[in-house]
Amino acid sequence: MPSLISFCEWVSSTPFSIAIHKSPIYFPVIEGIHTLGITAVVGTIAVLDLRLLGLIMKRRPVSSIAREVLPWTWAGFAVMFITGILLSIAEAATNYYNWAFRIKLILLLLVGLNPLIFHLTVYRKVNSWDVSNVTPVRARAAAICSLVLWTGIIVAGRLIAYVNM
Amino acid sequence: MFLIFCHWLARTGISHIMRDSTYDFAIVEVGHLLALAIFGGAVLLVDLRFLGVAFKSQPAPELARELLPLTGGGVVAMLLTGFFLFLGGPLRYYHNPAFDLKILLFVLALVGHFALQIGVCKQGDEEAKYPLLVKAAAVLSLLLWFSVGLAGRAIGYV
């Protein structure tokens, strides 16, 4: 049975992976765009999170901010995802053993569950608290989870390079 | 003149701390990235609003004002953490062309973006008087911030 590590080693041996990995231009440029993609995701979602916490844009309904912000969060996510796949292909074998990379993947999974739970539960009744300054406890908890998890993702992401050194 | 200042900075105690410890640098660097995330997302939304593609339900000046804690605060946080990163090797950065480029682009982006904000806010909440000019400036601002980010990443590779 083929294992994940042999798959990662196979990916690393493909010309495509080597081309990104070896190039003095491709890797840094993709990495730079990846960072800016994360910036777009985290920065836009933080606007919604900070509104849920009642810290900014208090007079605006939560649902209208969510409507305006989330398409851009998803656009940033697409950039981050595609460039992230490319970077993972370039460093597949080294990243397999990288604990920071593993933590980042786990945190990404968790940060994906958070809005899923949020939208299926407390956000369904958003009409009843849309304009209130103080949002329900569960909405504030979701906002704090989002901010903490994304912070963790940025920290772990930066650490990948320190661990690979 | 600036070189003399860099030499002096390099001799300060805090510069030695930033240079000798692996973790101090990494921690400040992560702080710099977190500030960038908060700032970058907010500035993206403001510029996209000026461009007329995001937050259309809200007047541009109002959005710019409401996000000022994030855009303005983000700049301050990036400058502070950036200064400490600079202390990690003042002479190294002095001789790094990517660093020069980043600072040049940063100053252009900073002045350009906030001049645009002030200009739009002065027009009041009604629709912009020079919509094309504002849109062109917003595109320019986005391109400049994008290049600041890439030049910043290049510092570590040069």
Side-chain angles (χ1 to χ4, degrees), chain A residues 121-138:
Chain A
T121 58
V122 63
Y123 194 69
R124 283 194 158 181
K125 291 181 198 127
V126 66
N127 285 335
S128 60
W129 51 270
D130 212 4
V131 288
S132 50
N133 244 336
V134 183
T135 57
V137 175
R138 287 172 76 177

Side-chain angles (χ1 to χ4, degrees), chain B residues 84-95:
Chain B
F84 277 94
L85 292 177
F86 182 74
L87 284 175
L91 297 167
R92 204 155 37 90
Y93 291 118
Y94 182 84
H95 293 292

